[in-house]
Amino acid sequence: MSVKKNPNFYVFLGKKYLETHETIELHALGNAVSTSVIASENLVRNNYATFQEIRTKTITVQASGGRGDSKKAKLFITLKRSPDFFENMRKFNEIREENEKNANKLAEESKDTTTAQ
């Protein structure tokens, strides 16, 4: 995981992987730990997954520019697909489609109002 991406990006990826895999493992190093915690918490809170294991490890990272090595925390979060995963995905897709229809309808109404003036 990376701090360069929003946690929601990893929630999306997590859901995609859980469609075909029973378990997924998120790895995060240093500052990306908070991103992985937020993403995994969102997957669990919305009942797409359950926590199976959380562990940490201290690893040595080679610093660039010859400044020596440093130690960083690495987080491993293992998630298991929720028993309700596929039902929740179905509901999510229905809501997303409904929202897209409403957005398109509003855009059309806005366009019609603008051209009528």
Side-chain angles (χ1 to χ4, degrees):
M1 301 193 83
S2 167
V3 293
K4 294 179 181 177
K5 298 279 187 184
N6 185 303
N8 291 333
F9 172 76
Y10 294 108
V11 170
F12 170 78
L13 278 182
K15 287 169 28 178
K16 283 293 185 196
Y17 278 106
L18 286 167
E19 287 177 348
T20 56
H21 298 86
E22 185 73 24
T23 61
I24 59 173
E25 188 170 274
L26 309 177
H27 293 214
L29 183 65
N31 294 333
V33 165
S34 61
T35 302
S36 66
V37 169
I38 292 167
S40 61
E41 174 59 27
N42 282 334
L43 286 166
V44 170
R45 187 178 335 119
N46 291 304
N47 208 19
Y48 293 111
T50 58
F51 286 111
Q52 186 170 356
E53 181 183 26
I54 300 173
R55 59 191 166 87
T56 60
K57 183 178 182 181
T58 303
I59 64 166
T60 302
V61 179
Q62 292 180 342
S64 60
R67 292 181 287 158
D69 296 344
S70 64
K71 298 211 181 279
K72 291 197 179 241
K74 185 166 184 177
L75 179 67
F76 302 85
I77 300 174
T78 305
L79 299 174
K80 184 176 181 186
R81 184 191 308 143
S82 165
D84 300 327
F85 175 81
F86 293 106
E87 176 65 17
N88 290 335
M89 284 298 292
R90 185 188 62 73
K91 289 177 185 176
F92 172 82
N93 288 325
E94 286 176 0
I95 291 168
R96 187 185 70 214
E97 288 170 11
E98 185 67 28
N99 288 343
E100 287 173 358
K101 285 179 192 173
N102 290 338
N104 289 337
K105 183 178 174 184
L106 287 172
E108 285 296 317
E109 290 173 358
S110 176
K111 192 187 319 179
D112 291 344
T113 304
T114 305
T115 54
Q117 294 177 353

PDB file of all heavy atoms in Angstrom, residues 10-28:
ATOM      1  N   TYR A  10      -8.032   1.539  -2.227  1.00  0.00           N
ATOM      2  CA  TYR A  10      -7.721   0.205  -1.721  1.00  0.00           C
ATOM      3  C   TYR A  10      -8.975  -0.550  -1.288  1.00  0.00           C
ATOM      4  O   TYR A  10      -9.006  -1.782  -1.353  1.00  0.00           O
ATOM      5  CB  TYR A  10      -6.704   0.296  -0.582  1.00  0.00           C
ATOM      6  CG  TYR A  10      -5.374   0.798  -1.088  1.00  0.00           C
ATOM      7  CD1 TYR A  10      -4.932   2.076  -0.781  1.00  0.00           C
ATOM      8  CD2 TYR A  10      -4.579   0.011  -1.917  1.00  0.00           C
ATOM      9  CE1 TYR A  10      -3.725   2.557  -1.278  1.00  0.00           C
ATOM     10  CE2 TYR A  10      -3.370   0.484  -2.412  1.00  0.00           C
ATOM     11  CZ  TYR A  10      -2.954   1.749  -2.088  1.00  0.00           C
ATOM     12  OH  TYR A  10      -1.767   2.212  -2.583  1.00  0.00           O
ATOM     13  N   VAL A  11     -10.013   0.162  -0.872  1.00  0.00           N
ATOM     14  CA  VAL A  11     -11.298  -0.486  -0.592  1.00  0.00           C
ATOM     15  C   VAL A  11     -11.845  -1.079  -1.889  1.00  0.00           C
ATOM     16  O   VAL A  11     -12.272  -2.235  -1.933  1.00  0.00           O
ATOM     17  CB  VAL A  11     -12.312   0.507   0.025  1.00  0.00           C
ATOM     18  CG1 VAL A  11     -13.710  -0.100   0.087  1.00  0.00           C
ATOM     19  CG2 VAL A  11     -11.855   0.949   1.407  1.00  0.00           C
ATOM     20  N   PHE A  12     -11.785  -0.294  -2.969  1.00  0.00           N
ATOM     21  CA  PHE A  12     -12.233  -0.773  -4.285  1.00  0.00           C
ATOM     22  C   PHE A  12     -11.445  -2.017  -4.695  1.00  0.00           C
ATOM     23  O   PHE A  12     -12.023  -3.025  -5.103  1.00  0.00           O
ATOM     24  CB  PHE A  12     -12.071   0.351  -5.324  1.00  0.00           C
ATOM     25  CG  PHE A  12     -12.265  -0.092  -6.734  1.00  0.00           C
ATOM     26  CD1 PHE A  12     -13.528  -0.295  -7.249  1.00  0.00           C
ATOM     27  CD2 PHE A  12     -11.166  -0.313  -7.557  1.00  0.00           C
ATOM     28  CE1 PHE A  12     -13.711  -0.708  -8.558  1.00  0.00           C
ATOM     29  CE2 PHE A  12     -11.337  -0.726  -8.861  1.00  0.00           C
ATOM     30  CZ  PHE A  12     -12.606  -0.932  -9.367  1.00  0.00           C
ATOM     31  N   LEU A  13     -10.106  -1.940  -4.590  1.00  0.00           N
ATOM     32  CA  LEU A  13      -9.275  -3.095  -4.949  1.00  0.00           C
ATOM     33  C   LEU A  13      -9.573  -4.295  -4.065  1.00  0.00           C
ATOM     34  O   LEU A  13      -9.636  -5.427  -4.553  1.00  0.00           O
ATOM     35  CB  LEU A  13      -7.791  -2.740  -4.826  1.00  0.00           C
ATOM     36  CG  LEU A  13      -7.146  -1.998  -5.968  1.00  0.00           C
ATOM     37  CD1 LEU A  13      -5.661  -1.789  -5.682  1.00  0.00           C
ATOM     38  CD2 LEU A  13      -7.325  -2.704  -7.279  1.00  0.00           C
ATOM     39  N   GLY A  14      -9.741  -4.049  -2.772  1.00  0.00           N
ATOM     40  CA  GLY A  14     -10.039  -5.133  -1.854  1.00  0.00           C
ATOM     41  C   GLY A  14     -11.312  -5.865  -2.236  1.00  0.00           C
ATOM     42  O   GLY A  14     -11.369  -7.098  -2.230  1.00  0.00           O
ATOM     43  N   LYS A  15     -12.347  -5.107  -2.594  1.00  0.00           N
ATOM     44  CA  LYS A  15     -13.611  -5.718  -3.015  1.00  0.00           C
ATOM     45  C   LYS A  15     -13.419  -6.527  -4.291  1.00  0.00           C
ATOM     46  O   LYS A  15     -13.967  -7.628  -4.430  1.00  0.00           O
ATOM     47  CB  LYS A  15     -14.681  -4.646  -3.190  1.00  0.00           C
ATOM     48  CG  LYS A  15     -15.158  -4.105  -1.861  1.00  0.00           C
ATOM     49  CD  LYS A  15     -16.021  -2.876  -1.874  1.00  0.00           C
ATOM     50  CE  LYS A  15     -16.872  -2.570  -3.010  1.00  0.00           C
ATOM     51  NZ  LYS A  15     -17.682  -1.353  -2.840  1.00  0.00           N
ATOM     52  N   LYS A  16     -12.617  -5.997  -5.214  1.00  0.00           N
ATOM     53  CA  LYS A  16     -12.355  -6.726  -6.465  1.00  0.00           C
ATOM     54  C   LYS A  16     -11.653  -8.059  -6.183  1.00  0.00           C
ATOM     55  O   LYS A  16     -12.014  -9.084  -6.755  1.00  0.00           O
ATOM     56  CB  LYS A  16     -11.498  -5.882  -7.419  1.00  0.00           C
ATOM     57  CG  LYS A  16     -12.268  -4.794  -8.112  1.00  0.00           C
ATOM     58  CD  LYS A  16     -13.254  -5.421  -9.054  1.00  0.00           C
ATOM     59  CE  LYS A  16     -13.980  -4.408  -9.872  1.00  0.00           C
ATOM     60  NZ  LYS A  16     -15.175  -4.989 -10.500  1.00  0.00           N
ATOM     61  N   TYR A  17     -10.631  -8.027  -5.331  1.00  0.00           N
ATOM     62  CA  TYR A  17      -9.908  -9.256  -4.998  1.00  0.00           C
ATOM     63  C   TYR A  17     -10.789 -10.233  -4.237  1.00  0.00           C
ATOM     64  O   TYR A  17     -10.703 -11.450  -4.439  1.00  0.00           O
ATOM     65  CB  TYR A  17      -8.644  -8.950  -4.190  1.00  0.00           C
ATOM     66  CG  TYR A  17      -7.476  -8.535  -5.049  1.00  0.00           C
ATOM     67  CD1 TYR A  17      -7.072  -7.206  -5.095  1.00  0.00           C
ATOM     68  CD2 TYR A  17      -6.775  -9.460  -5.818  1.00  0.00           C
ATOM     69  CE1 TYR A  17      -6.005  -6.812  -5.889  1.00  0.00           C
ATOM     70  CE2 TYR A  17      -5.709  -9.082  -6.608  1.00  0.00           C
ATOM     71  CZ  TYR A  17      -5.319  -7.757  -6.636  1.00  0.00           C
ATOM     72  OH  TYR A  17      -4.275  -7.370  -7.426  1.00  0.00           O
ATOM     73  N   LEU A  18     -11.648  -9.734  -3.351  1.00  0.00           N
ATOM     74  CA  LEU A  18     -12.508 -10.615  -2.570  1.00  0.00           C
ATOM     75  C   LEU A  18     -13.577 -11.292  -3.423  1.00  0.00           C
ATOM     76  O   LEU A  18     -14.159 -12.295  -3.007  1.00  0.00           O
ATOM     77  CB  LEU A  18     -13.151  -9.844  -1.412  1.00  0.00           C
ATOM     78  CG  LEU A  18     -12.208  -9.527  -0.254  1.00  0.00           C
ATOM     79  CD1 LEU A  18     -12.840  -8.501   0.686  1.00  0.00           C
ATOM     80  CD2 LEU A  18     -11.813 -10.783   0.503  1.00  0.00           C
ATOM     81  N   GLU A  19     -13.835 -10.773  -4.611  1.00  0.00           N
ATOM     82  CA  GLU A  19     -14.776 -11.445  -5.513  1.00  0.00           C
ATOM     83  C   GLU A  19     -14.246 -12.815  -5.931  1.00  0.00           C
ATOM     84  O   GLU A  19     -15.028 -13.727  -6.184  1.00  0.00           O
ATOM     85  CB  GLU A  19     -15.046 -10.587  -6.752  1.00  0.00           C
ATOM     86  CG  GLU A  19     -15.914  -9.388  -6.474  1.00  0.00           C
ATOM     87  CD  GLU A  19     -16.123  -8.498  -7.697  1.00  0.00           C
ATOM     88  OE1 GLU A  19     -15.419  -8.682  -8.716  1.00  0.00           O
ATOM     89  OE2 GLU A  19     -16.992  -7.625  -7.625  1.00  0.00           O
ATOM     90  N   THR A  20     -12.920 -12.957  -6.024  1.00  0.00           N
ATOM     91  CA  THR A  20     -12.337 -14.206  -6.510  1.00  0.00           C
ATOM     92  C   THR A  20     -11.448 -14.922  -5.490  1.00  0.00           C
ATOM     93  O   THR A  20     -11.027 -16.039  -5.741  1.00  0.00           O
ATOM     94  CB  THR A  20     -11.509 -13.952  -7.788  1.00  0.00           C
ATOM     95  OG1 THR A  20     -10.523 -12.952  -7.507  1.00  0.00           O
ATOM     96  CG2 THR A  20     -12.399 -13.490  -8.928  1.00  0.00           C
ATOM     97  N   HIS A  21     -11.136 -14.258  -4.376  1.00  0.00           N
ATOM     98  CA  HIS A  21     -10.274 -14.855  -3.362  1.00  0.00           C
ATOM     99  C   HIS A  21     -10.963 -14.828  -1.996  1.00  0.00           C
ATOM    100  O   HIS A  21     -11.612 -13.843  -1.657  1.00  0.00           O
ATOM    101  CB  HIS A  21      -8.940 -14.101  -3.265  1.00  0.00           C
ATOM    102  CG  HIS A  21      -8.146 -14.146  -4.520  1.00  0.00           C
ATOM    103  ND1 HIS A  21      -8.318 -13.242  -5.543  1.00  0.00           N
ATOM    104  CD2 HIS A  21      -7.179 -14.997  -4.933  1.00  0.00           C
ATOM    105  CE1 HIS A  21      -7.484 -13.528  -6.522  1.00  0.00           C
ATOM    106  NE2 HIS A  21      -6.791 -14.589  -6.194  1.00  0.00           N
ATOM    107  N   GLU A  22     -10.778 -15.881  -1.237  1.00  0.00           N
ATOM    108  CA  GLU A  22     -11.390 -15.990   0.090  1.00  0.00           C
ATOM    109  C   GLU A  22     -10.721 -15.045   1.089  1.00  0.00           C
ATOM    110  O   GLU A  22     -11.377 -14.485   1.953  1.00  0.00           O
ATOM    111  CB  GLU A  22     -11.280 -17.442   0.573  1.00  0.00           C
ATOM    112  CG  GLU A  22     -11.981 -17.728   1.875  1.00  0.00           C
ATOM    113  CD  GLU A  22     -13.493 -17.764   1.760  1.00  0.00           C
ATOM    114  OE1 GLU A  22     -14.017 -18.010   0.660  1.00  0.00           O
ATOM    115  OE2 GLU A  22     -14.157 -17.530   2.781  1.00  0.00           O
ATOM    116  N   THR A  23      -9.402 -14.879   0.958  1.00  0.00           N
ATOM    117  CA  THR A  23      -8.668 -14.002   1.873  1.00  0.00           C
ATOM    118  C   THR A  23      -7.741 -13.082   1.078  1.00  0.00           C
ATOM    119  O   THR A  23      -7.300 -13.422  -0.026  1.00  0.00           O
ATOM    120  CB  THR A  23      -7.806 -14.793   2.888  1.00  0.00           C
ATOM    121  OG1 THR A  23      -6.841 -15.564   2.184  1.00  0.00           O
ATOM    122  CG2 THR A  23      -8.651 -15.674   3.769  1.00  0.00           C
ATOM    123  N   ILE A  24      -7.479 -11.922   1.668  1.00  0.00           N
ATOM    124  CA  ILE A  24      -6.505 -10.993   1.102  1.00  0.00           C
ATOM    125  C   ILE A  24      -5.611 -10.510   2.238  1.00  0.00           C
ATOM    126  O   ILE A  24      -6.020 -10.516   3.395  1.00  0.00           O
ATOM    127  CB  ILE A  24      -7.162  -9.790   0.380  1.00  0.00           C
ATOM    128  CG1 ILE A  24      -8.059  -8.990   1.332  1.00  0.00           C
ATOM    129  CG2 ILE A  24      -7.921 -10.248  -0.852  1.00  0.00           C
ATOM    130  CD1 ILE A  24      -8.602  -7.707   0.735  1.00  0.00           C
ATOM    131  N   GLU A  25      -4.395 -10.121   1.879  1.00  0.00           N
ATOM    132  CA  GLU A  25      -3.477  -9.597   2.888  1.00  0.00           C
ATOM    133  C   GLU A  25      -2.975  -8.235   2.427  1.00  0.00           C
ATOM    134  O   GLU A  25      -2.455  -8.098   1.324  1.00  0.00           O
ATOM    135  CB  GLU A  25      -2.307 -10.558   3.096  1.00  0.00           C
ATOM    136  CG  GLU A  25      -1.425 -10.156   4.254  1.00  0.00           C
ATOM    137  CD  GLU A  25      -0.418 -11.212   4.634  1.00  0.00           C
ATOM    138  OE1 GLU A  25      -0.793 -12.103   5.426  1.00  0.00           O
ATOM    139  OE2 GLU A  25       0.711 -11.156   4.129  1.00  0.00           O
ATOM    140  N   LEU A  26      -3.166  -7.246   3.289  1.00  0.00           N
ATOM    141  CA  LEU A  26      -2.701  -5.892   3.010  1.00  0.00           C
ATOM    142  C   LEU A  26      -1.355  -5.701   3.699  1.00  0.00           C
ATOM    143  O   LEU A  26      -1.200  -6.032   4.872  1.00  0.00           O
ATOM    144  CB  LEU A  26      -3.705  -4.867   3.533  1.00  0.00           C
ATOM    145  CG  LEU A  26      -5.174  -5.041   3.132  1.00  0.00           C
ATOM    146  CD1 LEU A  26      -6.032  -3.985   3.795  1.00  0.00           C
ATOM    147  CD2 LEU A  26      -5.321  -4.996   1.635  1.00  0.00           C
ATOM    148  N   HIS A  27      -0.390  -5.168   2.967  1.00  0.00           N
ATOM    149  CA  HIS A  27       0.942  -4.886   3.520  1.00  0.00           C
ATOM    150  C   HIS A  27       1.155  -3.386   3.470  1.00  0.00           C
ATOM    151  O   HIS A  27       0.892  -2.754   2.445  1.00  0.00           O
ATOM    152  CB  HIS A  27       2.039  -5.533   2.666  1.00  0.00           C
ATOM    153  CG  HIS A  27       2.045  -7.015   2.692  1.00  0.00           C
ATOM    154  ND1 HIS A  27       3.200  -7.744   2.617  1.00  0.00           N
ATOM    155  CD2 HIS A  27       1.045  -7.926   2.777  1.00  0.00           C
ATOM    156  CE1 HIS A  27       2.918  -9.021   2.652  1.00  0.00           C
ATOM    157  NE2 HIS A  27       1.607  -9.162   2.745  1.00  0.00           N
ATOM    158  N   ALA A  28       1.658  -2.838   4.561  1.00  0.00           N
ATOM    159  CA  ALA A  28       1.926  -1.398   4.587  1.00  0.00           C
ATOM    160  C   ALA A  28       3.207  -1.153   5.368  1.00  0.00           C
ATOM    161  O   ALA A  28       3.484  -1.813   6.366  1.00  0.00           O
ATOM    162  CB  ALA A  28       0.772  -0.645   5.222  1.00  0.00           C
TER     163      ALA A  28
END
